[in-house]
Amino acid sequence: MYISVKKLLSEGKIAQDVTLKGWVRTFRSNRFIALNDGSTIENVQVVVDFENTSEELLKRITTGAAVEIHGSVVESQGKGQSIEVQASNVIVLGDSNPETYPIQPKKHSFEFLREHAHLRVRTNVFGAIMRVRSVLSFAIHDYFQRNGFFYVHTPIITGSDAEGAGEMFRVTTLDAKNPPLTEEGKVDYKKDFFGRETNLTVSGQLEGETFAMALGKIYTFGPTFRAENSNTSRHLAEFWMIEPEVAFLDLDGNMDLAEDFIKYVLKYTLERCREDIEFLNTRFLEEEKTKPQNERSTMSLIEKLEFVINNNFKRVSYTEAIDILKNSNHNKKKKFQYIIDEWGADLQSEHERYLVEKHFECPVILYDYPAKIKAFYMRLNEDGKTVRAMDILFPGIGEIVGGSQREERYDVLIEKIKSVGIEEKDLWWYLDLRKFGSAVHSGFGLGFERLVLFATGMSNIRDVIPFPRTPQNAEF
Ligand code: 4AD
Ligand code: MG
């Protein structure tokens, strides 16, 4: 009977006949195959009857080879496993030349593995990360579907710049070498495929809002593209974002939703990916040991996850945060690259991480930011200078969520749109929401890879997405 390694290790019975298919991780002493089929981080030990196996076949059982094993389950003689498989027949399905196979049974650097992203998922650490990523994305759907949210597929190709940051990838079928020109000599996008300028979406929010104002509670979960030239360990040019949007919800409700949601998905994943997360926990602790004492995490990965699941996030206004930062020794001793000297300054990730890691030592929700440093759609407060924005900041990550209560008042929104230089005609449909049945509503965006970073204890965002897209890099 064909059986996965996961099922075999949890349900296999002594003397049961089994067929396994997988890849050889190691082959020791011409006898012991450590076999992995991806279903679990665990390998199963397969014992080859080498006296009755031809030399030629033994030579083909190499690291990376795909094999089919027929055998029976026996009690394990070795340590660590209760059962193993005594092979009666080994068939090599696909050879792997040990001289040229890049993934050797030894420690490879993450840089090396990034260059072999098509094979890195065959290692323990990337197998674990990608299984956690899969469970985490299911947990996200589970949370929303249980709570009455509808999943909306917002467009990938759009004509609007939701964040107003202008960091977009153009979508065009025009001939780059010889585009049609207008009389003024500019590229004539009327002749382009869509008859207008289009780009890959930076956020599904604006379209999401239209659905929230009909279905009540919705979420998107899809790819998002930003052409920001930031070569950091927290930025990707292509990443996945989850964006819930809820009618009749104010900023406080939005914070409650975000906090409850994050706790649920992390708890769900910790419970269902115990083996993978335990493996990643050990890796995390080993990496911490290589750091100077004062930079080491005081908690293990599992402790960090449990801490977030079991403790309230600290809610702090931007104004309070600026006071804390301004009066911090860090600021006074000029340890920040960007010194905080006045209200209105945009927070850099060094400030966010100071608040979370040094000052509050827990996840922080910052709210009521200066209107000037936030997007046009956020609801203006009575003070006329702050908006109902919220960012959630996480240890080791910085910003993980960005959201807000939306400006639902037509007059206020139109003024704002004009003042930031957006053409009213480009957002006519968004403005319509404020003309017909407008209501208080709120939502947020969670960067999925930043959440996977946190859940796996990894430190570079390129290692938690299968094939990272970053400046100067779109291999695979
Ligand atoms: O804060 P942002 O830009 O918010 C929005 O896009 C809103 N429209 C969301 C909403 O209210 N519906 O992005 C949201 C989150 C960030 O907090 C961050 O976690 C992630 O998306 N993010 C990125 N993740 C990886 N690489 C990048 N280049 C990212 N840019 C943003
Ligand atoms: Mg943001």
Side-chain angles (χ1 to χ4, degrees):
M1 181 189 74
Y2 173 74
I3 189 169
S4 70
V5 171
K6 186 181 169 87
K7 202 157 180 200
L8 172 69
L9 293 178
S10 60
E11 296 169 21
K13 303 263 175 324
I14 302 298
Q16 184 184 351
D17 284 332
V18 290
T19 301
L20 296 167
K21 291 180 191 183
W23 294 270
V24 176
R25 282 291 174 84
T26 56
F27 186 40
R28 275 191 304 121
S29 318
N30 260 350
R31 279 200 78 174
F32 303 108
I33 301 175
L35 185 82
N36 188 284
D37 68 357
S39 58
T40 160
I41 192 156
E42 302 293 337
N43 301 328
V44 65
Q45 173 150 290
V46 175
V47 186
V48 179
D49 175 7
F50 78 120
E51 274 156 19
N52 296 309
T53 308
S54 73
E55 190 117 334
E56 189 204 355
L57 179 62
L58 288 172
K59 276 202 189 121
R60 293 176 61 205
I61 306 175
T62 56
T63 296
V67 293
E68 178 175 328
I69 309 283
H70 297 267
S72 64
V73 178
V74 294
E75 218 166 294
S76 177
Q77 306 302 311
K79 283 183 287 211
Q81 285 193 340
S82 57
I83 55 171
E84 59 190 30
V85 170
Q86 180 71 49
S88 52
N89 191 11
V90 177
I91 303 161
V92 175
L93 302 172
D95 293 276
S96 172
N97 183 343
E99 305 296 316
T100 53
Y101 184 53
I103 309 295
Q104 296 297 320
K106 62 159 200 176
K107 210 173 162 81
H108 293 289
S109 73
F110 288 130
E111 288 78 13
F112 173 85
L113 290 171
R114 263 170 236 149
E115 286 162 16
H116 297 84
H118 61 308
L119 298 173
R120 68 179 178 171
V121 68
R122 298 185 185 193
T123 63
N124 277 335
V125 66
F126 283 93
I129 293 166
M130 295 307 159
R131 279 186 296 269
V132 168
R133 186 181 162 106
S134 167
V135 171
L136 199 48
S137 59
F138 187 79
I140 287 163
H141 286 293
D142 188 59
Y143 177 84
F144 288 124
Q145 297 286 334
R146 277 172 191 272
N147 287 290
F149 286 69
F150 298 103
Y151 181 27
V152 180
H153 302 98
T154 48
I156 307 281
I157 300 174
T158 73
S160 56
D161 174 7
E163 293 306 300
E167 290 159 332
M168 297 177 298
F169 290 100
R170 172 161 290 146
V171 175
T172 179
T173 53
L174 294 180
D175 181 356
K177 291 197 194 89
N178 189 22
L181 299 179
T182 61
E183 280 175 9
E184 297 94 65
K186 294 196 175 137
V187 176
D188 187 0
Y189 288 105
K190 288 214 175 64
K191 302 223 168 71
D192 203 348
F193 189 91
F194 297 107
R196 58 177 298 167
E197 279 192 76
T198 48
N199 48 268
L200 295 177
T201 185
V202 296
S203 159
Q205 178 196 322
L206 303 193
E207 292 91 348
E209 280 184 53
T210 69
F211 267 59
M213 295 311 283
L215 302 184
K217 300 205 271 187
I218 66 99
Y219 68 105
T220 73
F221 186 175
T224 313
F225 308 87
R226 295 199 184 173
E228 46 193 338
N229 211 344
S230 14
N231 242 319
T232 77
S233 57
R234 308 279 178 268
H235 288 87
L236 291 163
E238 177 181 289
F239 63 100
W240 287 65
M241 185 151 53
I242 297 102
E243 294 184 278
E245 191 71 33
V246 184
F248 315 114
L249 189 74
D250 65 8
L251 190 69
D252 288 327
N254 202 27
M255 292 191 217
D256 294 341
L257 173 66
E259 187 171 340
D260 189 53
F261 161 64
I262 292 176
K263 287 177 174 170
Y264 179 88
V265 298
L266 289 178
K267 185 161 189 272
Y268 183 106
T269 306
L270 185 57
E271 282 165 3
R272 282 168 180 76
C273 295
R274 198 72 211 190
E275 282 173 349
D276 285 322
I277 293 180
E278 267 164 18
F279 175 84
L280 292 166
N281 191 49
T282 308
R283 190 213 71 82
F284 175 81
L285 291 173
E286 275 165 18
E287 189 183 284
E288 289 302 303
K289 274 193 216 143
T290 66
K291 295 182 182 168
Q293 193 89 40
N294 61 339
E295 284 173 31
R296 280 184 210 165
S297 168
T298 53
M299 290 186 215
S300 72
L301 169 62
I302 292 178
E303 283 165 346
K304 287 202 307 173
L305 290 169
E306 285 171 347
F307 184 87
V308 168
I309 293 165
N310 297 321
N311 288 282
N312 291 338
F313 297 4
K314 181 89 189 157
R315 301 183 186 192
V316 186
S317 74
Y318 167 89
T319 304
E320 291 170 81
I322 284 289
D323 282 343
I324 291 166
L325 291 167
K326 228 161 68 179
N327 297 321
S328 67
N329 277 332
H330 239 66
N331 205 52
K332 289 179 185 152
K333 291 188 184 150
K334 301 206 166 21
K335 281 199 198 155
F336 288 130
Q337 201 185 336
Y338 296 88
I339 301 303
I340 297 284
D341 46 18
E342 62 186 65
W343 191 93
D346 204 354
L347 300 184
Q348 305 297 322
S349 83
E350 55 176 346
H351 307 127
E352 297 174 339
R353 292 185 59 176
Y354 176 87
L355 289 169
V356 172
E357 288 159 27
K358 299 266 186 318
H359 191 83
F360 291 111
E361 296 185 73
C362 73
V364 172
I365 312 185
L366 283 190
Y367 61 90
D368 284 351
Y369 280 74
K372 270 205 213 103
I373 59 170
K374 288 291 181 187
F376 72 91
Y377 50 70
M378 299 187 180
R379 193 183 197 281
L380 192 63
N381 278 313
E382 302 311 318
D383 62 13
K385 58 175 191 171
T386 60
V387 286
R388 301 247 77 192
M390 64 156 201
D391 276 8
I392 302 187
L393 315 179
F394 256 46
I397 310 264
E399 179 189 336
I400 196 163
V401 162
S404 66
Q405 186 175 321
R406 319 306 188 187
E407 185 54 79
E408 85 285 13
R409 298 164 296 184
Y410 183 85
D411 298 341
V412 183
L413 185 60
I414 198 108
E415 278 309 310
K416 185 69 195 248
I417 283 179
K418 282 186 196 149
S419 76
V420 297
I422 301 175
E423 298 267 0
E424 197 182 320
K425 67 169 173 34
D426 289 340
L427 281 180
W428 64 274
W429 51 273
Y430 188 71
L431 285 159
D432 262 5
L433 298 180
R434 279 74 183 166
K435 275 194 208 160
F436 308 116
S438 190
V440 164
H441 62 290
S442 301
F444 62 84
L446 171 90
F448 183 54
E449 283 73 21
R450 294 195 184 171
L451 185 66
V452 182
L453 266 184
F454 187 74
T456 56
M458 297 297 290
S459 42
N460 192 318
I461 201 162
R462 293 159 204 226
D463 296 331
V464 299
I465 188 164
F467 299 102
R469 267 74 182 105
T470 50
Q472 299 299 309
N473 172 37
E475 191 68 51
F476 306 104

